[in-house]
């Protein structure tokens, strides 16, 4: 630990750009522009970005141009989300700062993981101010003091942690590819009817989604104790609790918020009150229903005003092809090994995340020597 030294963060940064107080003029196409809601922990969600023209980019980004490898940090709403920029030619909106360590002094990878660590998060949030919306001022951020080991140690720490994150990312890409394969098969068989000459087979019919499922409301989870069962909201797993709401195959559909975030579940779970869950009315249809609903643009069916909303009436009335039991069983048989592989990757990612989260604070405080 004697090799570690504490520095004020502004003394070890080559670049610190703050975009608060500036709003660019949006465009239909052009340069992708990120806001605070685009930056998740160690991940950038480009689906949340908007666009500005090249001319607006040159005008708006006058304070400095971020580049691939820079660290993005949210300064409020929420404070402390951090990710590494994975491309050049990007614009950044309000409530984001860009950080770049001084060459031969501060490794960007180390900085990324420092702000993910409990110590880094505490360091940030101990200086936050505000009531309705809390955040950190740039003047306060510059005063942060962080422990920094010699550069080779920084790079080793970043390499260990990034190897785990890279494997997690690879598994996520594998799962995305596997799901796309199953979705393509669903479309080929049950939308385009390509194996059947473009026509439905005899015995198939067009019905309503209500013929296949019961749509059920989720429930509030706040009074539940911590446990082993996942609680799902429109963004995914929120926490784990000691009770489950349903324990059979189900398709979860957002009732409020990001309507297109549809989930297939095959384990006991709890669903929050802004999330529908579904009960299947016959065998071998859960995966079929999942790909049917996922293939729809639910956002375009929004029934809300201020907050995007979905209703049971809209879902129940959706027209759906109802194949024969024989073809539903065939689709289930093809999908089953795909979903087993997806589940294996999910379990591996959970284990890798646990290893990473265990190592992170120990590496950052020098408890583990490398």
């Amino acid at each position: 630990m004697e090799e570690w030294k504490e520095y004020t963060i502004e003394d070890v940064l080559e670049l610190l750009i703050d975009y608060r107080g500036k709003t660019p003029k949006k465009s239909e196409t052009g340069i992708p522009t990120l806001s605070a809601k685009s930056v998740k922990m160690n991940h950038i969600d480009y689906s949340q970005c908007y666009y500005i023209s090249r001319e607006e980019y040159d005008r708006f980004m006058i304070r400095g141009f971020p580049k691939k490898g820079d660290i993005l940090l949210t300064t409020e709403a929420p404070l402390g989300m951090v990710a590494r920029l994975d491309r050049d030619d990007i614009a950044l909106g309000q409530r984001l700062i860009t950080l770049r360590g001084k060459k031969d002094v501060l490794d960007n990878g180390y900085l990324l993981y420092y702000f993910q660590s409990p110590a880094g998060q505490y360091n940030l949030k101990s200086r936050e101010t505000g009531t309705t919306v809390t955040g950190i001022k740039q003047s306060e951020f510059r005063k942060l003091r962080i422990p920094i080991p010699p550069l080779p140690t920084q790079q080793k720490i970043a390499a260990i942690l990034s190897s785990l994150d890279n494997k997690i990312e690879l598994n996520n890409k594998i799962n995305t590819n596997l799901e796309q394969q199953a979705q393509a098969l669903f479309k080929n068989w049950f939308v385009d009817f390509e194996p059947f000459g473009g026509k439905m087979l005899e015995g198939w019919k067009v019905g309503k989604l209500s013929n296949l499922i019961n749509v059920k409301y989720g429930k509030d989870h706040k009074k539940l104790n911590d446990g082993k069962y996942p609680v799902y909201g429109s963004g995914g797993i929120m926490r784990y609790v000691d009770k489950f709401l349903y324990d059979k195959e189900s398709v979860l559909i957002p009732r409020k918020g990001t309507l297109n975030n549809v989930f297939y579940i095959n384990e006991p779970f709890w669903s929050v009150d802004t999330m529908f869950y579904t009960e299947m009315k016959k065998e071998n249809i859960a995966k079929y229903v999942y790909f049917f609903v996922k293939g729809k643009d639910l956002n375009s069916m929004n029934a809300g005003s201020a907050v995007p909303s979905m209703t049971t009436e809209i879902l129940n009335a959706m027209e759906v092809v109802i194949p024969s039991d024989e073809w539903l069983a065939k689709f289930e048989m093809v999908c089953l090994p795909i979903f087993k592989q997806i589940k294996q990757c999910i379990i591996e990612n959970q284990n890798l995340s646990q290893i990473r989260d265990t190592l992170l604070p120990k590496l950052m405080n020098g408890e583990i020597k490398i």
Side-chain angles (χ1 to χ4, degrees):
M1 194 65 183
E2 65 278 2
E3 294 181 323
W4 293 56
K5 296 181 180 179
E6 196 172 80
Y7 296 88
T8 302
I9 193 164
E10 69 173 345
D11 291 335
V12 291
L13 291 177
E14 172 189 325
L15 180 75
L16 190 161
I17 314 171
D18 191 338
Y19 301 92
R20 278 176 286 193
K22 290 168 66 73
T23 303
K25 182 180 178 181
K26 297 179 183 179
S27 176
E28 291 295 321
T29 59
I31 308 289
T33 305
L34 305 177
S35 63
K37 65 182 180 181
S38 304
V39 178
K40 314 301 182 184
M41 192 60 80
N42 206 14
H43 170 69
I44 297 175
D45 182 3
Y46 286 98
S47 69
Q48 299 287 326
C49 74
Y50 55 95
Y51 297 90
I52 62 177
S53 67
R54 170 63 65 176
E55 293 74 20
E56 181 69 2
Y57 174 75
D58 292 336
R59 182 196 69 81
F60 176 67
M61 299 297 291
I62 193 68
R63 294 180 183 176
F65 296 92
K67 65 181 183 180
K68 183 177 179 179
D70 287 348
I71 304 304
L72 306 182
L73 180 72
T74 60
T75 56
E76 63 179 37
L79 168 64
M81 293 291 107
V82 59
R84 191 199 307 255
L85 193 57
D86 57 0
R87 57 176 290 176
D88 295 316
D89 214 18
I90 199 87
L92 302 174
Q94 296 188 38
R95 309 199 311 275
L96 275 178
I97 55 176
T98 304
L99 309 173
R100 187 183 305 157
K102 286 182 179 178
K103 187 179 179 181
D104 300 328
V105 176
L106 177 60
D107 179 75
N108 276 1
Y110 175 84
L111 186 63
L112 171 72
Y113 288 109
Y114 171 75
F115 280 121
Q116 289 183 58
S117 71
Q121 287 287 300
Y122 176 80
N123 203 357
L124 278 172
K125 292 173 182 179
S126 65
R127 292 181 176 270
E128 68 180 338
T129 58
T131 52
T132 306
V133 178
T134 60
I136 189 169
K137 298 177 180 178
Q138 185 185 137
S139 58
E140 286 298 307
F141 180 79
R142 289 178 177 274
K143 296 176 185 177
L144 289 181
R145 299 186 65 83
I146 66 172
I148 300 177
L151 189 63
T153 302
Q154 295 178 47
Q155 293 168 337
K156 289 177 183 177
I157 289 172
I160 291 169
L161 296 171
S162 64
S163 67
L164 296 169
D165 280 329
N166 289 341
K167 177 55 177 171
I168 291 171
E169 183 180 357
L170 176 60
N171 283 344
N172 288 336
K173 288 179 179 178
I174 290 171
N175 280 357
T176 298
N177 180 264
L178 288 169
E179 192 165 302
Q180 287 173 345
Q181 291 179 40
Q183 183 82 56
L185 180 66
F186 173 88
K187 184 176 184 296
N188 181 271
W189 285 10
F190 305 119
V191 178
D192 300 330
F193 311 117
E194 287 190 14
F196 324 119
K199 297 180 181 179
M200 284 197 303
L201 290 179
E202 185 177 351
W204 295 19
K205 61 183 181 180
V206 176
K208 304 294 185 183
L209 191 56
S210 59
N211 297 136
L212 299 180
I213 62 172
N214 291 317
V215 180
K216 309 288 286 186
Y217 285 86
K219 295 183 179 180
D220 182 45
H221 64 98
K222 296 183 181 65
K223 294 182 179 180
L224 299 175
N225 297 319
D226 291 339
K228 64 179 182 179
Y229 302 111
V231 176
Y232 282 89
S234 61
I237 296 176
M238 300 170 60
R239 57 177 294 215
Y240 291 85
V241 294
D242 61 340
K243 296 180 180 179
F244 59 83
L245 185 61
Y246 193 63
D247 64 349
K248 297 178 177 62
E249 274 188 298
S250 185
V251 177
L252 308 189
I253 305 167
R255 186 173 71 85
K256 299 281 187 181
T258 309
L259 301 183
N260 280 336
N261 278 2
V262 179
F263 300 97
Y264 165 84
I265 307 297
N266 191 17
E267 63 181 359
F269 67 90
W270 192 280
S271 174
V272 300
D273 51 7
T274 56
M275 197 84 169
F276 293 120
Y277 70 96
T278 55
E279 296 175 347
M280 304 299 134
K281 290 186 174 181
K282 58 191 301 183
E283 292 183 352
N284 297 324
I285 61 165
K287 298 176 185 66
Y288 180 88
V289 168
Y290 171 66
F291 288 115
F292 168 76
V293 176
K294 194 172 178 64
K296 300 295 182 182
D297 182 7
L298 300 184
N299 282 331
S300 68
M301 306 177 193
N302 173 31
S305 52
V307 178
S309 302
M310 178 56 60
T311 67
T312 55
E313 291 77 15
I314 292 173
L315 291 173
N316 285 329
M318 292 173 68
E319 286 193 348
V320 58
V321 172
I322 303 178
S324 65
D325 290 348
E326 176 189 2
W327 279 94
L328 285 170
K330 286 181 180 180
F331 185 67
E332 172 72 14
M333 183 176 64
V334 174
C335 284
L336 196 57
I338 293 175
F339 275 72
K340 283 184 177 179
Q341 189 173 350
I342 288 173
K343 182 63 176 178
Q344 288 173 355
C345 286
I346 291 172
I347 292 172
E348 183 177 13
N349 277 0
Q350 290 171 342
N351 292 333
L352 290 169
S353 296
Q354 186 175 11
I355 293 170
R356 180 201 58 205
D357 294 345
T358 301
L359 285 176
L360 181 56
K362 296 179 183 295
L363 288 169
M364 285 298 167
N365 65 17
E367 183 178 338
I368 296 178
K369 303 296 183 182
I370 56 173

